[in-house]
Amino acid sequence: MNGKIGLEEHFAIPETLQDSAGFVPGDYWTELSARLLDIHERRLHEMDANGMEMMILSLNAPAVQAIPDRAKAIEIARRANDFLAEQVARRPDRFQAFAALPMQDPDAATRELERCMVELGFRGALVNGFSQVDTPENVVYYDAPQYADFWAASERLDAPFYLHPRNPIPSWSQIYQGHPWLMGPTWAFAQETAVHALRLMASGLFDRHPGLKIILGHMGEGLPYNIWRVDNRNAWVQMPKGYPAKKPLGEYFNQNFYLTTSGNFRTQTLIDAMLEVGSDRILFSTDWPFENVDHASSWFNSTSISEADRQKIGRTNAVNLFKLKL
Ligand code: MN
């Protein structure tokens, strides 16, 4: 299929490049770092070769979220966003942008989101999971009350929020002790991000802001497969739900969430996601440069779904969600 649009597609600036170094063996680092720093050469070639018309670009991970110093986090986010705006201005027909946000400082994050959406023409934000605030050990999730104004602004600006994975900090990773192979995209990313998404759902955030749009990558970080059980375990027992949200969490999952195919090129998994949330809420993505554009595209182009669904997931859902002028 031609004209595909992807929205989990990363780049790095020199200040954040090293954050990606641990995710591939050392002898792949030359290749990965070159992929991350490139925008207009190799990346465009990959897109052209694989029928991909546009990438909505975002900074690598964990980047801003792992900078406990608030002033530094604000500075790096701003620097990355200004750099990205310049790149998009060179090829707005091929690239659009997600904002990096200094969530360490909720007011600064709100101001940066507004600046990116209103002044720079960005399409939303991509945030790499929890933020470390003031000290490396102080982990903050975004269901916390200090984010009330941020979420109100996110809804008002109609800015989709891509909740992207990061690894848990070492002191919160006892379950993976002795098994470092479980970290990152193998398992820890999905676990971390799915729990964060459930926290947002359970907090009542979407009762207060029904217009919020949250995007999850990797076909929903396991949630399509498990969301029914979240709401229906021990159904014969009358149990208090134990959280402030008004509705079963699956209703928020269906009304406020969008999923992408990034890094999860598996037809069986796509079909499950389609059966849970429907093809209007699933969007093609590759997870370049950590995954290959050709791997994502050759799978998606031939996967056994209807051509109508292929057009929606591959392109038109993104056009509608991000109001793209193509
Ligand atoms: Mn990614």
Side-chain angles (χ1 to χ4, degrees):
M1 164 186 176
N2 287 323
K4 292 190 293 297
I5 298 168
L7 47 142
E8 192 184 317
E9 319 298 344
H10 308 296
F11 72 98
I13 57 174
E15 295 89 333
T16 66
L17 180 64
Q18 283 301 322
D19 284 27
S20 297
F23 292 111
V24 289
D27 46 348
Y28 283 87
W29 177 236
T30 305
E31 165 75 7
L32 181 61
S33 58
R35 289 180 177 202
L36 276 161
L37 292 170
D38 161 75
I39 305 280
H40 299 282
E41 304 292 332
R42 167 79 180 276
R43 187 182 299 256
L44 267 179
H45 172 79
E46 294 283 342
M47 293 163 67
D48 289 341
N50 291 287
M52 204 170 172
E53 182 171 341
M54 177 175 282
M55 285 186 174
I56 304 181
L57 300 175
S58 53
L59 194 60
N60 61 325
V64 177
Q65 269 58 65
I67 305 173
D69 181 280
R70 296 180 193 224
K72 182 93 188 296
I74 292 167
E75 181 202 331
I76 295 296
R78 196 177 172 95
R79 196 177 299 175
N81 292 331
D82 286 343
F83 170 81
L84 181 53
E86 288 168 20
Q87 306 313 310
V88 168
R90 286 175 60 183
R91 290 305 300 270
D93 56 328
R94 306 303 298 277
F95 299 119
Q96 291 289 312
F98 281 135
L101 295 179
M103 300 297 282
Q104 288 83 348
D105 183 326
D107 290 339
T110 304
R111 285 194 299 275
E112 185 64 3
L113 178 63
E114 179 138 28
R115 183 179 83 93
C116 288
M117 295 297 289
V118 175
E119 292 176 30
L120 302 181
F122 282 21
R123 299 294 157 179
L126 183 142
V127 168
N128 295 310
F130 63 85
S131 285
Q132 289 157 277
V133 184
D134 297 330
T135 72
E137 290 295 311
N138 186 32
V139 162
V140 179
Y141 289 88
Y142 308 133
D143 54 293
Q146 61 266 37
Y147 293 102
D149 291 344
F150 171 82
W151 289 119
S154 181
E155 183 185 47
R156 172 171 52 80
L157 293 162
D158 196 20
F161 182 97
Y162 203 127
L163 184 64
H164 183 275
R166 64 174 296 182
N167 272 324
I169 62 172
S171 59
W172 289 39
S173 303
Q174 293 95 326
I175 195 171
Y176 302 119
Q177 208 168 45
H179 294 265
W181 60 275
L182 282 165
M183 300 302 279
T186 310
W187 192 261
F189 275 2
Q191 167 77 11
E192 172 66 39
T193 311
V195 171
H196 199 164
L198 290 168
R199 291 174 63 127
L200 294 180
M201 293 179 211
S203 71
L205 177 63
F206 304 110
D207 296 323
R208 295 188 289 279
H209 302 293
L212 278 178
K213 296 166 178 168
I214 310 292
I215 306 167
L216 298 175
H218 317 109
M219 217 75 91
E221 313 290 6
L223 285 171
Y225 204 80
N226 286 304
I227 193 71
W228 183 90
R229 182 161 158 80
V230 170
D231 287 323
N232 293 278
R233 83 276 179 255
N234 305 151
W236 63 281
V237 178
Q238 295 282 328
M239 284 220 297
K241 57 185 164 50
Y243 51 72
K246 294 191 176 122
K247 301 185 224 169
L249 302 194
E251 293 192 26
Y252 305 110
F253 191 54
N254 270 275
Q255 288 160 14
N256 297 94
F257 282 75
Y258 294 81
L259 316 178
T260 78
T261 66
S262 61
N264 206 340
F265 315 134
R266 178 70 166 163
T267 302
Q268 287 87 332
T269 312
L270 172 64
I271 299 293
D272 177 62
M274 291 170 74
L275 290 173
E276 284 294 342
V277 303
S279 59
D280 291 335
R281 290 185 170 271
I282 303 172
L283 301 93
F284 175 75
S285 291
T286 76
D287 211 350
W288 177 263
F290 303 97
E291 302 287 348
N292 273 13
V293 176
D294 59 329
H295 294 173
S297 293
S298 59
W299 165 72
F300 183 73
N301 290 348
S302 62
T303 189
S304 300
I305 56 176
S306 73
E307 292 310 311
D309 282 340
R310 201 182 323 275
Q311 284 298 320
K312 283 203 253 184
I313 294 169
R315 178 181 175 85
T316 54
N317 288 345
V319 171
N320 295 333
L321 181 58
F322 301 106
K323 306 178 184 86
L324 300 173
K325 310 262 189 298
L326 289 172

